[in-house]
Amino acid sequence: MAQIARLGEELHAIGRELRRANEIQVHRLLTEQLDRAIDDPTLAAAMSTLSGISEHKRRQMLFANREYATILLSHRTGTIDWSELLGNLRVLCRNEVFAEYWERTVEHRRSLAAGSLERLVGEAVDTLMEELADDPEEWWIVGPSPEPPGD
């Protein structure tokens, strides 16, 4: 019986690793597409839902999205914990281009599932942005609790 339980645990661990590998591969594909779109304005227009912006600004918005997705992937794959995720986002939120990207894409986040990691991280970024607007000089201490949600 103990062997069956151990095999079940090992199978579960292998499944988690396959999921992480798949997440990384999907991110790699998305990053390649974003890189191509950043290099080619016609592809950028096909990838972006933002209207009324210049080609230059569209490329910046795509790159901001790329950076945010990379930080999120780092947390998803266990490379960084919640506290480190917040630290990385705290620095990213100080960037004017990212701040504009975040403001312009607010509608994109409305459909995120309640309780999903994307929703929780989005809410954390919203908090960071609000607190940075109030006191940008104290940027290293703004934001939600360094404890992961649900702990």
Side-chain angles (χ1 to χ4, degrees):
M1 222 34 179
Q3 256 185 342
I4 293 173
R6 191 179 69 239
L7 286 173
E9 290 171 9
E10 288 176 13
L11 187 58
H12 185 70
I14 290 169
R16 277 194 317 268
E17 286 305 312
L18 282 173
R19 179 169 169 76
R20 277 192 202 125
N22 287 337
E23 285 178 9
I24 291 166
Q25 185 62 23
V26 167
H27 180 77
R28 182 175 293 125
L29 292 170
L30 177 60
T31 299
E32 288 172 4
Q33 288 178 316
L34 284 168
D35 287 345
R36 289 181 64 202
I38 290 166
D39 290 341
D40 182 340
T42 59
L43 296 177
M47 248 188 132
S48 175
T49 60
L50 301 177
S51 59
I53 59 175
S54 68
E55 289 178 8
H56 176 77
K57 182 60 68 178
R58 185 175 315 282
R59 288 173 171 164
Q60 288 181 324
M61 297 294 110
L62 290 170
F63 193 82
N65 173 265
R66 183 183 187 282
E67 291 303 297
Y68 175 71
T70 299
I71 292 170
L72 188 58
L73 178 70
S74 294
H75 179 67
R76 276 185 186 282
T77 58
T79 305
I80 61 174
D81 64 18
W82 181 256
S83 179
E84 292 168 309
L85 171 75
L86 292 178
N88 282 293
L89 292 172
R90 194 174 285 117
V91 172
L92 186 60
C93 287
R94 296 188 69 220
N95 181 282
E96 291 177 17
V97 173
F98 180 78
E100 182 180 353
Y101 158 79
W102 197 254
E103 183 180 316
R104 286 182 174 270
T105 58
V106 66
E107 293 298 321
H108 295 73
R109 293 184 294 283
R110 295 207 193 284
S111 65
L112 295 174
S116 68
L117 177 62
E118 290 86 354
R119 181 72 165 258
L120 295 170
V121 173
E123 290 168 355
V125 172
D126 288 342
T127 300
L128 287 166
M129 291 296 198
E130 289 169 16
E131 292 182 12
L132 279 170
D134 291 342
D135 192 359
E137 298 304 316
E138 301 269 327
W139 66 269
W140 63 90
I141 59 171
V142 300
S145 168
E147 297 302 315
D151 280 4

